[in-house]
Amino acid sequence: MLTYTPPESRPIAKTREQPWLLLLMAFAWLWPGVFSHGLWNPGEPAVFAAVEAMQSGASPLVADVLGETDFRISPVYLWTAAAFQNLLTPWAAGAYDAARFASVLFTVIGLTCCGFAGFNFLGRHHGRSVVLILIGCFGLLQMAHFMSDMTVGFAALGMVLNGFSLARRRVIVSSLLLGGGAALLSLTAGFALPLALLAMALVLPLHPQWRFKRYYITLFGALAVGLPLLVVYPFLLFKLQPDMFELWLNRHIFGEFGGIANVQTAFSLPYYLKNLLWFALPAWPLAVWTLTRIRTDSQPWSILAVSWIAVTLVLLAAMPRQFQDYLMWLLPPLALLGAAQLDGLRRGAAAFINWFGIMAFGLTAAFLWVGFFAMNYGWPAKLAERAAYFSPYYTPETDIVPMMVAILFTPLWLLAITRKNIKGRQAVTNWAAGVTLVWALLMTLFLPWLDAAKSYEPVVKQMQAALPSELSKQFADGRECLYVAENDRRARLAWGQYSDIALHTGHAECRYRLVQQPKDTATPQGWVKRWQGARPRNDKEGFALLERANAE
C-alpha cells in the first residue's frame, strides 16, 4: 500500500558539507595580523594609550588618552584589552598582541551571533553562509585584527540580530539578547543607534509578519532588560564622576551626533554609499540579488533586514563625521539578506563570482610572493626598488614561522578552488578562502615591511640614533629636557611609546623642542633644526627636533 509522508516529517537529506571546515577557515582568518607588529595608525596608538592609562589607575569609566577624556573609545573594549594583558603578558603574548585579543573576542561573538541568526531565520546551512559572507567582506578585516573598539559594536549588533531571530521560539533568550545588545551598543556608538533600533523593533508589529504574541512578550522583556542596562553607565558616571557625566550628557550622549547641548548633523550619504561598494563586498550584491528574487515584505527576516538597513542609512546620511568603519552597522542585515537566496543564485552568476575571486585573489597572492622575494632578495630589481621606496626603513629578514604559515595557506587555497559544479555557497566559500589567503600572506610575508612603514618606532629610533651620546645622557639624567606642545598628540603618543626620553608639556623653556610639522618646513627664528623625519611617503605628517640657537 502506498503511503504519503509529509515534507516536514521526512528525514533531512545528508549533506557533504563539513562544519569543521568553516571553523577551520574562521580560525585561520582570525589570527593573521594580531601578532608581531607595533601600533599602527589611525586608531591603535590612542586605544593602547588609553589601556595603559587605565592600567596605571585612570578611571575605568572614561578613556584617558594623554590626560584627555576620549568618549569615542568604548570603556568595554578597554576593560577587555586590559584583562587580556593581565592574563597573557608577558608569558604568552606581548602587550600590543594581548590587547588585540579583545578585537578577536568581540569579532568571534559577532560572527557567532550572526551565524545563529542566519540558522534561526533561514534554516539549515544558512548560518554558515552568513559567516562566510562576513568573513569575505573587506571592511571587517582591519577592525577585527587591530585594536578597534568598533568590534564591540559588531558583537552588540550580532546579539541584536540573533535576538530578533529567536523571538518565535525562545522569548527569554531573545529578550536578553535584544536588551543586552542595545545596552552594549550604547557603550561604543552612543545612544543614537541603539534607540533607533529599539524604535524600529517597536514599529515592526505594524507588519503582519511581526504581529504575534511571542514578539510582544519579547519586546516587553527587551525593554525591561535594556532600559535599566542603558542607564547603568550614566548612573555610574553621575555618582562617581559628576563632571564627566555633565560632559557626556551635553557633548557625547548621542555618539558622533553630540549631546543634548550640541546636536550635530551633516549630509554624508554620498561618502558612505561610495565606500559601501568595497566595504561590504560581496554582501551587498548578494543582498540585492535576494531582493530581486523575493517580495520585500514576504518574510520576517526580509522585513527586519530592510528596515534595519533603512534606519541605519538615515543615521549615516546625517552623520557629522565621515568614518568608513561606521558602515559596519550595515554588515549583519546585508549578510543575512545575502545568504537567503544564495542557493538560488544562477549558475552563471555563481561562476562569475567564483572566477572573479579566483583571478583577483590568485593574482594578488602571486604578486605578494613575488614582492616578498623582491624586497628580501632584490629580484625582480624594479619591484625591489619600489618596495624600498615605499618602506625605506625595512631591513630584509626571513622568519621561518611566517614563511611556514604562508606556504601552508597557499596550497590549501589551491585545493579549495579546484571543486567542480560551483554553486552560490561554494562561490562564497571560495571568496572567503581567497580573502583569508591574501590577508594571511600580507600579514606574514609582508608584516615586517608594513610595520616599518606604518609604525612610528623606526622614526623615533632614527631620532635617538641621531643624538650625540652626551646629549642622550643629559636627557636621561634630567640635565636637559625635551618639550612638546600639548596638542601635538601624535608626537606624544609615538615618543611616549617608543622612546625612553621623558617629554615635557609644561616646560616651554626647555633647550630642545620636538615639533610635529610637514617635512622641509622652515625653521622658526631663534631655533636650529637638529633632526627631521617622518613615516615613509608621508609629506603631510613629519617631526623635527629643534634646539635654541642662543643656547650656551
Side-chain angles (χ1 to χ4, degrees):
M1 178 178 178
L2 297 176
T3 58
Y4 171 74
T5 304
E8 60 271 14
S9 62
R10 296 173 185 170
I12 299 175
K14 293 184 179 180
T15 176
R16 295 180 181 179
E17 297 186 14
Q18 298 174 336
W20 66 269
L21 289 176
L22 172 63
L23 295 176
L24 181 61
M25 181 182 294
F27 184 83
W29 177 86
L30 274 170
W31 295 107
V34 173
F35 299 97
S36 304
H37 65 85
L39 303 176
W40 290 359
N41 265 352
E44 285 201 321
V47 172
F48 189 78
V51 174
E52 281 193 319
M54 196 183 72
Q55 294 274 48
S56 300
S59 170
L61 297 177
V62 182
D64 183 304
V65 182
L66 301 175
E68 298 179 1
T69 300
D70 193 338
F71 281 100
R72 286 180 174 173
I73 302 176
S74 171
V76 177
Y77 188 89
L78 300 183
W79 304 336
T80 310
F84 275 117
Q85 277 191 344
N86 294 333
L87 181 65
L88 301 175
T89 304
W91 65 274
Y96 303 157
D97 304 339
R100 294 188 188 103
F101 273 57
S103 295
V104 175
L105 173 64
F106 289 118
T107 301
V108 169
I109 294 173
L111 290 174
T112 303
C113 288
C114 289
F116 276 115
F119 175 83
N120 295 328
F121 270 133
L122 306 174
R124 188 181 181 188
H125 307 316
H126 289 88
R128 306 177 205 170
S129 299
V130 171
V131 174
L132 287 169
I133 291 172
L134 288 171
I135 287 177
C137 288
F138 298 127
L140 194 59
L141 278 172
Q142 182 169 323
M143 70 179 69
H145 297 91
F146 304 150
M147 290 182 215
S148 172
D149 68 331
M150 293 298 294
T151 54
V152 180
F154 179 63
L157 292 173
M159 292 170 60
V160 171
L161 186 65
N162 196 16
F164 278 116
S165 73
L166 290 169
R168 288 185 180 274
R169 298 191 296 110
R170 303 184 66 181
V171 171
I172 295 178
V173 177
S174 177
S175 300
L176 291 174
L177 286 171
L178 285 172
L184 182 61
L185 188 60
S186 71
L187 291 174
T188 186
F191 274 36
L193 181 60
L195 290 180
L197 292 179
L198 285 176
M200 179 197 73
L202 293 173
V203 173
L204 281 179
L206 293 177
H207 194 281
Q209 291 282 5
W210 285 91
R211 201 178 298 153
F212 53 93
K213 182 178 179 182
R214 282 178 174 267
Y215 183 65
Y216 294 137
I217 299 174
T218 298
L219 275 182
F220 179 79
L223 292 174
V225 172
L227 292 179
L229 289 177
L230 282 170
V231 301
V232 168
Y233 179 73
F235 178 77
L236 290 175
L237 270 183
F238 177 75
K239 285 296 185 181
L240 301 177
Q241 295 179 270
D243 53 337
M244 289 294 103
F245 172 77
E246 291 293 331
L247 179 63
W248 173 82
L249 182 66
N250 292 320
R251 301 287 179 181
H252 301 285
I253 186 174
F254 301 121
E256 292 294 346
F257 294 98
I260 294 176
N262 70 327
V263 175
Q264 304 173 8
T265 58
F267 185 66
S268 301
L269 185 60
Y271 168 85
Y272 284 107
L273 289 179
K274 177 183 68 176
N275 282 279
L276 185 66
L277 296 178
W278 68 267
F279 191 95
L281 192 69
W284 71 263
L286 295 173
V288 171
W289 163 255
T290 295
L291 293 177
T292 62
R293 296 273 294 177
I294 65 169
R295 286 178 51 196
T296 305
D297 61 348
S298 61
Q299 299 289 341
W301 50 264
S302 63
I303 300 159
L304 171 66
V306 171
S307 301
W308 185 319
I309 292 170
V311 167
T312 305
L313 283 177
V314 169
L315 288 179
L316 292 176
M319 182 71 69
R321 182 189 179 203
Q322 295 183 348
F323 183 47
Q324 63 191 24
D325 283 2
Y326 288 132
L327 288 167
M328 179 271 299
W329 299 347
L330 291 169
L331 289 185
L334 285 175
L336 181 67
L337 279 178
Q341 290 294 310
L342 199 56
D343 290 337
L345 193 65
R346 291 175 182 170
R347 188 176 296 274
F352 174 77
I353 293 174
N354 188 58
W355 172 84
F356 182 81
I358 290 174
M359 293 299 295
F361 298 125
L363 291 174
T364 303
F367 173 79
L368 291 176
W369 273 109
V370 174
F372 170 77
F373 284 101
M375 68 188 184
N376 286 287
Y377 304 108
W379 181 89
K382 194 64 177 178
L383 190 56
E385 291 177 7
R386 301 307 295 172
Y389 173 79
F390 284 107
S391 186
Y393 302 145
Y394 171 67
T395 302
E397 62 176 279
T398 303
D399 192 335
I400 188 62
V401 175
M403 278 288 294
M404 293 301 296
V405 172
I407 292 172
L408 177 64
F409 269 84
T410 305
L412 288 177
W413 176 76
L414 291 172
L415 180 64
I417 65 173
T418 55
R419 293 177 297 176
K420 299 179 180 180
N421 301 320
I422 294 297
K423 296 182 180 179
R425 191 179 302 148
Q426 289 80 18
V428 169
T429 302
N430 287 350
W431 180 283
V435 170
T436 304
L437 169 70
V438 170
W439 182 253
L441 294 181
L442 198 62
M443 292 295 111
T444 52
L445 301 179
F446 271 67
L447 186 61
W449 184 87
L450 287 170
D451 196 32
K454 295 179 67 67
S455 173
Y456 286 109
E457 184 174 9
V459 181
V460 176
K461 299 304 181 186
Q462 187 185 68
M463 188 206 80
Q464 295 203 168
L467 296 178
S469 57
E470 181 60 30
L471 181 57
S472 299
K473 293 179 182 178
Q474 291 173 353
F475 279 134
D477 59 23
R479 285 179 290 163
E480 293 286 0
C481 64
L482 180 60
Y483 169 78
V484 62
E486 191 169 355
N487 60 351
D488 282 351
R489 181 164 168 166
R490 289 187 178 178
R492 294 176 62 193
L493 286 171
W495 265 259
Q497 195 60 233
Y498 298 115
S499 173
D500 53 5
I501 299 176
L503 299 179
H504 298 267
T505 57
H507 294 268
E509 69 278 3
C510 289
R511 178 181 174 183
Y512 292 91
R513 183 170 190 166
L514 178 65
V515 296
Q516 183 179 322
Q517 63 183 25
K519 293 183 68 176
D520 301 323
T521 301
T523 305
Q525 187 175 1
W527 294 85
V528 177
K529 187 181 294 183
R530 295 301 184 191
W531 168 87
Q532 71 172 5
R535 288 185 302 155
R537 312 281 71 83
N538 195 324
D539 297 328
K540 296 181 180 180
E541 174 198 276
F543 306 96
L545 177 66
L546 306 180
E547 180 184 5
R548 291 188 188 274
N550 58 351
E552 294 295 335

